[in-house]
Amino acid sequence: MSTQHPGTMSTKTIGRQTIRGAVLYGPRDIRFEERDAPTIVQPTDAIVRVSAACVCGSDLWPYRGISPVAGPSPMGHEYCGVVEEVGRAVKSIRAGQFVIGSFFASDNTCPNCQAGYQSSCQHRELVGGAQAPVLRVPLADGTLVATPGVPSDDLVPSLLTLSDVMGTGWFAAHAANVKPGKTVAVVGDGAVGLLGVLAAKQLGAERIIAMSRHEARQRLAREFGATDIVTERGDEGVARIKELTRGIGADSVLECVGTQESMMQAVRSTRPGGSVGYVGVPHGVELNGEELFFSHIHLHGGPAPVRRFLPELIDLVWNGKINPGKVFDLTLPLDQVAEGYRAMDERRAIKTLLRP
Ligand SMILES: [Zn+2]
């Protein structure tokens, strides 16, 4: 899959280091390619040696050509690893620490960060190019959270999920106001939906209805805490949720897809006074004001402020309370990243873990 240029065979040239990482060129054209190694650009940056990275469901939008690609784009925004170097203005993060950060770098000090919405940080920057052995993370002090020590290898997949997918499922559950004893429905059986089930369980939900028609995913949903499985979709799916909730609807619904159908399924499955937490990046979703008005539901979502949840989630993983790393059902060496995308695109894999 990679392009070899004669004359750049060496991985080191004088004064300039290169690495090999995933680059998307266009629809279904992902290459494992040589590019300049990231370096400290701003004094607030850190350089992280990536221990594990992965392919996100949202990477599939540009991969499938649904979101346009402006040109060759280094891919990957989920990461954890060991700090190699920090800029001169970085105070709390040090070389040698094992760290996790979000896909949005944030200063963690501005009013939006202080309110717990670090993914709306006034100085936010997208972190990109994590499907590579080395990564530059801006605003290191605000973005990165160090684990209590360097983790054993078996903890790494679960820690990696905290960078996005678990943090996003967790936010979906918070946004949907999941509380002990409540009934929760989860729309979407991708990795975020499955971890939304885990989050709902951890937050004390009594009944968790997972909407899925894939056997392997249903099994994992049950393992994470789902009590019921609904295989129907659209209006039939809504009718089934109503049937299971005495005609009322669920207290909390997690929307983890981002299509018109999934959003309407979530809105219409929620009881009056209930809440939808939506974390699937909307693609062409339009809501009808009048329907929303009469539905009496709360609607909250957006890009997950993963940074808010990192300390708590690191603690839960570190102490063996949750094992979100189970969503990875395919592990590949980084140089086989193209197969990692294909397997997820064809729904042969729930989520691909990449080892540099
Ligand atoms: Zn901020």
Side-chain angles (χ1 to χ4, degrees), residues 159-224:
L159 291 170
L160 173 62
T161 66
L162 309 186
S163 177
D164 179 356
V165 61
M166 180 69 234
T168 296
W170 196 256
F171 175 57
H174 274 272
N177 199 28
V178 172
K179 291 276 190 290
K182 299 291 185 185
T183 295
V184 178
V186 180
V187 181
D189 64 359
V192 171
L194 292 166
L195 292 175
V197 169
L198 186 156
K201 173 74 179 171
Q202 191 65 28
L203 293 171
E206 184 177 305
R207 193 165 190 198
I208 303 170
I209 307 164
M211 306 188 86
S212 169
R213 44 176 63 172
H214 296 83
E215 209 190 316
R217 294 166 191 242
Q218 292 172 0
R219 222 179 304 125
L220 194 51
R222 287 211 186 267
E223 202 178 323
F224 282 153

Side-chain angles (χ1 to χ4, degrees), residues 106-114 118 120-123:
S106 54
D107 57 19
N108 213 30
T109 54
C110 78
N112 293 340
C113 285
Q114 291 294 295
Q118 288 90 340
S120 273
C121 174
Q122 290 178 322
H123 303 106

Side-chain angles (χ1 to χ4, degrees), residues 40 45-49 81-87 90-99 140-141 144 146 150:
I40 301 281
D45 289 349
I47 299 297
V48 174
R49 169 76 44 185
V82 177
V83 177
E84 273 198 343
E85 190 188 349
V86 296
V90 175
K91 293 186 176 68
S92 60
I93 295 296
R94 297 182 308 276
Q97 284 180 322
F98 189 93
V99 292
D141 277 332
L144 298 171
V150 174

